[in-house]
Amino acid sequence: MVTPTPTMVPDRLDGFDAIVVGAGPGGAAAAYRLAVLGRRVLLIDRREFPRDKCCGDGLTRSAVRLLAGMGVLDELTGAQRVDGVRIRMRGRGGRDFHYEDSDGTGYGMVVPRLELDAVLCRRAVRAGAVLWTGARATRLLGGAAGVHGVQVEYEGRRFALRAPAVVAADGASSRLAHQAGLRSPDREWTGFAARGYFTQVADLDELLEIHLPLADVTDRRVLPSYGWVFPVGDGTANVGVGLFDPAHRENVRLLYERFVAELAATDHRFRAARPAGPMTGAPLRLDFDPSRCGVPGLLLVGDAAGLVSPFTGEGISFALESGLLAADRIDTALRRAGAGPVDPAPYARQLAARQSGYFETGRYSVRRYLLAWRVLDATFDDDRPLFALCRRLALFPDGARAGVLLDPLPRPAPELARDLRRDLLAVGELLAGCVREDWPMFVRLGGVDEDLSTLSLRPAVLLLVAAAVGGREHSLRHALAAAVDLGLLAGLAVDSAREETRSAGPRPTPWGNRFAVLVADFLLARAYEFAAQGGGPVVAEFAEALTVACEGRALELRDDPSSAGGPVLAGRAAIAFELPCRLGGRLGGARVPVVNALAAYGREVGAAYALGEQLRELAGASRWGGSAQPGAATRDDPRVAGLLGLVAEHAQRAREALRVVPAGPARELLARLAAPGLPGPVDPEGRVMSVT
Ligand SMILES: Cc1cc2nc3c(=O)[nH]c(=O)nc-3n(C[C@H](O)[C@H](O)[C@H](O)COP(=O)(O)OP(=O)(O)OC[C@H]3O[C@@H](n4cnc5c(N)ncnc54)[C@H](O)[C@@H]3O)c2cc1C
């Protein structure tokens, strides 16, 4: 039940720590957090609440998690739960991707904005924020050099409100961002979207359904665009289109009408569907730029900062996240410096670290959408690692980090976790810095959540944990950790370039292979640049590991069952496991026998994980984004039983190798990674699980 808010001038209009302009998800989240932190905060909006907002109403898993953190899930009584995403690729059919999270939080929602925004506002007020609706911010006080308040108009009167921090959460057309000179001159990054509601839609699944891409009116040219059908509940659907080409912006209405007509003509669910209310449209700002999300005293959040996904139009989770981050930044600044305009630079850095790869990928893709869509289209049905990974990174940024490289990592002991967190953030920056310009879609792979909640087993982690065994901090550890991560990614890319089956008729351009080869070359070159910082011997070791990996791969490609053992498993383990363990041990100053033991551990545990991968394949599951049925193969299957036995043998040998390694949190974590039931492939009942 959504209750309107009373409108009146707040009792006091001075003494605020922050003024938040705009009470959408971004502004409400910022005001909520500031209030929780004990700050006096004024939240203003030009509209009265509850108010509608033109939107698809889709909340991804990360949005739901953020809402859970704000304690509002129970209040969203009109929410329709969704379990994943369905992608319908033009002319290629559909694929369903289900969220899977063992803790039960892995779901999305569809919630009409009329309800969502009112609930969020109310939450901010309950936390202590002062809400003032029907009040329009007309200009900033101060300017680009330093903002110290806003001017607000209310019922024909003007109020000058002062505060050390102003949050501009005033949406895609942000007047405040304009006035502060923060709007990108590159206006072409604005898209446009339109939506309408339909009732009496039959058989709606609990999925966010996205249609990619749509064709122009002549039906000859595809546009950088998408359509969606989101279930709102009770046979109602939110249907809409988004278009990321300003040259065609005026065609959004046509695109929408065609999309709806096509659904009515071809989709049985829409046979009896009726429009409920008019179609409405709004701009989508895609010009996120970390250097343009604030000036002293002013922080932009959500749409005002251009934080919208150019692939899916998602913006609510980014608005919530940036609102919370901005509030934290303001609170920290006020605690340290007292009054005075808040410096936005740390907030901008945080946003850059969390978002810039993903958003830049989208921006590049819009600009070069022919390549992006061709690759996506040509590889849509293909679960080769690189393509599945890129598809995931482009279309499902939430949760993309967790499990992207290998499996989730068991939680390390607190003292080890602290060092790992610091080191991984540094490695993430190195990785981001070296791929951002050319292949920004990989920026997020090096990311870690600050609380390490989505830490996954990747070569960099192994190297850092092995280094912790020796206990000495070596300045090279970050560069070499980046090198081994890039080496693994390059390996995935190489694996993904394969001979493509010839189809009848003219041979299609192998966009997938071209892309894989380009990416592999690039990543390998970057990996060697980092390895070179360790000097000749490290480069030689790196080259040796690559040779072993290539030999293993060559044998694998021969598809000879007799070659399935030693060299293939050694090849699989070389870059991702053995090399990082050995290099890490040496960098950490471990004694030679310990370094050798760590390398042996890496070989064995790597072999166990490679066999685990074969188990997954038996189950029809792919770690890289496939969608298999959990439990498709059971322990009774002789092939499963055989593989499980081999996994256990290698895991046992890995644990034996650790005997030489000094006790401590690092050894303890390594031992847990060599457990007989490895975390990914097998559940406690012995069923082979899908990992998507
Ligand atoms: C058609 C369409 C479909 C979309 N579908 C989805 C989807 O399914 N899922 C998703 O995650 N995202 C979607 N988005 C994006 C999403 O709507 C935005 O990213 C999100 O609303 C951003 O939240 P925000 O708080 O930054 O801004 P907004 O939600 O736009 O809120 C801005 C607020 O500021 C107020 N305001 C503006 N100017 C002033 C002023 N001068 N003074 C006072 N108040 C002011 C406005 O009244 C408004 O309440 C869609 C967008 C469009 C256009």
Side-chain angles (χ1 to χ4, degrees):
M1 180 52 201
V2 179
T3 43
T5 44
T7 306
M8 61 186 113
V9 183
D11 299 342
R12 271 180 56 202
L13 285 172
D14 58 355
F16 287 106
D17 294 313
I19 298 166
V20 179
V21 178
Y32 154 80
R33 179 75 130 240
L34 280 161
V36 165
L37 291 167
R39 295 288 163 191
R40 191 154 186 264
V41 52
L42 175 65
L43 174 63
I44 71 167
D45 202 290
R46 63 183 177 192
R47 306 270 306 271
E48 304 294 344
F49 281 67
R51 59 107 180 85
D52 196 16
K53 152 89 178 82
C54 169
C55 185
D57 304 332
L59 297 171
T60 54
R61 171 171 66 170
S62 43
V64 171
R65 287 191 174 162
L66 290 162
L67 293 172
M70 292 173 67
V72 296
L73 285 191
D74 290 347
E75 292 179 53
L76 297 172
T77 48
Q80 161 75 48
R81 186 173 158 144
V82 289
D83 291 329
V85 181
R86 169 173 298 150
I87 302 291
R88 283 193 188 275
M89 182 62 86
R90 189 182 159 76
R92 305 291 294 261
R95 291 189 70 174
D96 294 353
F97 299 87
H98 289 276
Y99 295 141
E100 283 182 20
D101 279 288
S102 49
D103 60 2
T105 58
Y107 61 93
M109 281 179 170
V110 181
V111 186
R113 293 291 295 274
L114 189 76
E115 175 176 0
L116 177 73
D117 292 21
V119 164
L120 286 173
C121 267
R122 206 167 53 210
R123 182 77 189 95
V125 171
R126 273 214 322 266
V130 176
L131 175 65
W132 188 11
T133 53
R136 176 192 298 268
T138 46
R139 75 181 178 85
L140 292 167
L141 303 179
V147 169
H148 47 76
V150 278
Q151 177 179 283
V152 175
E153 277 184 16
Y154 177 68
E155 293 188 342
R157 290 160 64 201
R158 279 196 184 149
F159 299 83
L161 310 183
R162 289 177 194 279
V166 173
V167 175
D170 50 345
S173 337
S174 179
R175 172 190 274 262
L176 299 187
H178 260 303
Q179 203 203 321
L182 293 170
R183 283 298 297 268
S184 161
D186 198 358
R187 293 290 298 279
E188 66 178 292
W189 299 123
T190 303
F192 211 77
R195 69 98 164 98
Y197 288 101
F198 283 79
T199 54
Q200 299 178 50
V201 186
D203 303 330
L204 279 171
D205 288 312
E206 294 181 354
L207 292 166
L208 297 173
E209 183 175 304
I210 297 173
H211 296 233
L212 293 165
L214 307 176
D216 72 355
V217 278
T218 66
D219 214 14
R220 281 200 296 268
R221 215 163 70 83
V222 294
L223 298 170
S225 59
Y226 60 85
W228 70 81
V229 176
F230 291 170
V232 182
D234 294 333
T236 299
N238 182 320
V239 177
V241 297
L243 176 61
F244 301 117
D245 184 347
H248 290 266
R249 196 176 310 161
E250 68 282 5
N251 290 336
V252 165
R253 171 176 282 277
L254 276 179
L255 209 60
Y256 174 82
E257 284 165 0
R258 272 169 52 91
F259 181 58
V260 166
E262 225 170 273
L263 286 174
T266 60
D267 191 328
H268 78 276
R269 299 173 304 173
F270 280 81
R271 238 171 252 150
R274 296 277 165 272
M279 177 215 93
T280 56
L284 294 167
R285 268 195 63 195
L286 313 168
D287 56 345
F288 170 66
D289 176 345
S291 68
R292 290 175 178 275
C293 45
V295 294
L298 178 75
L299 279 69
L300 309 188
V301 309
D303 279 12
L307 289 163
V308 171
S309 158
F311 274 104
T312 61
E314 176 187 5
I316 297 171
S317 68
F318 306 117
L320 292 169
E321 187 188 26
S322 57
L324 297 170
L325 284 177
D328 286 341
R329 169 63 204 140
I330 291 168
D331 179 61
T332 310
L334 294 181
R335 254 187 287 137
R336 287 197 189 135
V342 168
D343 174 12
Y347 165 70
R349 276 199 297 275
Q350 238 176 333
L351 275 187
R354 297 173 86 97
Q355 315 287 13
S356 68
Y358 177 59
F359 285 96
E360 276 158 21
T361 300
R363 284 166 57 191
Y364 277 90
S365 304
V366 173
R367 183 182 289 167
R368 300 187 308 194
Y369 79 95
L370 276 181
L371 174 66
W373 288 118
R374 275 174 177 159
V375 172
L376 205 59
D377 185 34
T379 62
F380 184 61
D381 305 318
D382 196 325
D383 276 340
R384 282 183 254 170
L386 180 71
F387 309 140
L389 192 58
C390 288
R391 190 162 51 230
R392 192 167 247 276
L393 288 171
L395 299 174
F396 315 104
D398 62 321
R401 256 171 294 167
V404 157
L405 292 182
L406 310 177
D407 290 293
L409 195 74
R411 259 197 177 267
E415 62 272 36
L416 181 58
R418 199 189 47 235
D419 293 347
L420 262 184
R421 180 179 163 280
R422 178 203 55 193
D423 285 340
L424 284 170
L425 288 173
V427 175
E429 274 183 27
L430 288 182
L431 287 174
C434 84
V435 296
R436 186 170 276 143
E437 285 291 302
D438 300 272
W439 296 100
M441 63 202 21
F442 295 113
V443 168
R444 283 201 151 207
L445 286 174
V448 282
D449 281 336
E450 300 241 332
D451 61 358
L452 294 186
S453 57
T454 56
L455 192 59
S456 60
L457 172 56
R458 37 186 257 232
V461 169
L462 275 179
L463 186 141
L464 294 168
V465 174
V469 163
R472 199 179 74 196
E473 290 210 337
H474 197 293
S475 58
L476 264 181
R477 66 192 187 288
H478 298 153
L480 296 190
V484 288
D485 262 9
L486 288 167
L488 175 67
L489 276 179
L492 288 183
V494 170
D495 267 12
S496 303
R498 290 181 198 159
E499 190 161 346
E500 305 199 322
T501 42
R502 272 175 186 277
S503 54
R507 198 166 180 209
T509 310
W511 291 108
N513 275 355
R514 284 187 185 182
F515 177 69
V517 170
L518 280 173
V519 168
D521 274 359
F522 170 81
L523 293 175
L524 210 51
R526 294 287 98 88
Y528 267 106
E529 275 170 25
F530 282 121
Q533 293 184 29
V538 170
V539 173
E541 261 179 283
F542 210 81
E544 169 71 27
L546 276 173
T547 309
V548 174
C550 289
E551 281 168 1
R553 181 75 188 128
L555 282 173
E556 233 175 317
L557 286 175
R558 263 192 230 156
D559 218 10
D560 170 4
S562 66
S563 72
V568 170
L569 293 181
R572 288 271 153 200
I575 298 278
F577 292 88
E578 184 184 350
L579 180 67
C581 286
R582 190 172 51 232
L583 285 178
R586 256 209 328 272
L587 286 180
R591 292 179 301 111
V592 172
V594 174
V595 172
N596 291 339
L598 284 168
Y601 165 85
R603 264 195 310 279
E604 296 299 340
V605 92
Y609 271 81
L611 290 161
E613 196 63 18
Q614 291 177 26
L615 272 170
R616 277 187 240 249
E617 274 169 27
L618 264 188
S622 149
R623 113 178 27 259
W624 309 108
S627 43
Q629 296 303 313
T634 67
R635 201 182 271 272
D636 307 335
D637 185 319
R639 293 163 308 166
V640 170
L643 281 171
L644 280 173
L646 285 172
V647 168
E649 265 176 43
H650 284 284
Q652 169 67 17
R653 287 212 285 269
R655 286 196 302 280
E656 277 164 17
L658 285 180
R659 283 201 194 125
V660 185
V661 173
R667 188 177 85 173
E668 195 258 336
L669 181 62
L670 293 175
R672 277 199 282 153
L673 291 174
L678 295 169
V682 189
D683 75 7
E685 275 82 50
R687 283 172 311 180
V688 179
M689 294 167 46
S690 77
V691 181
T692 53

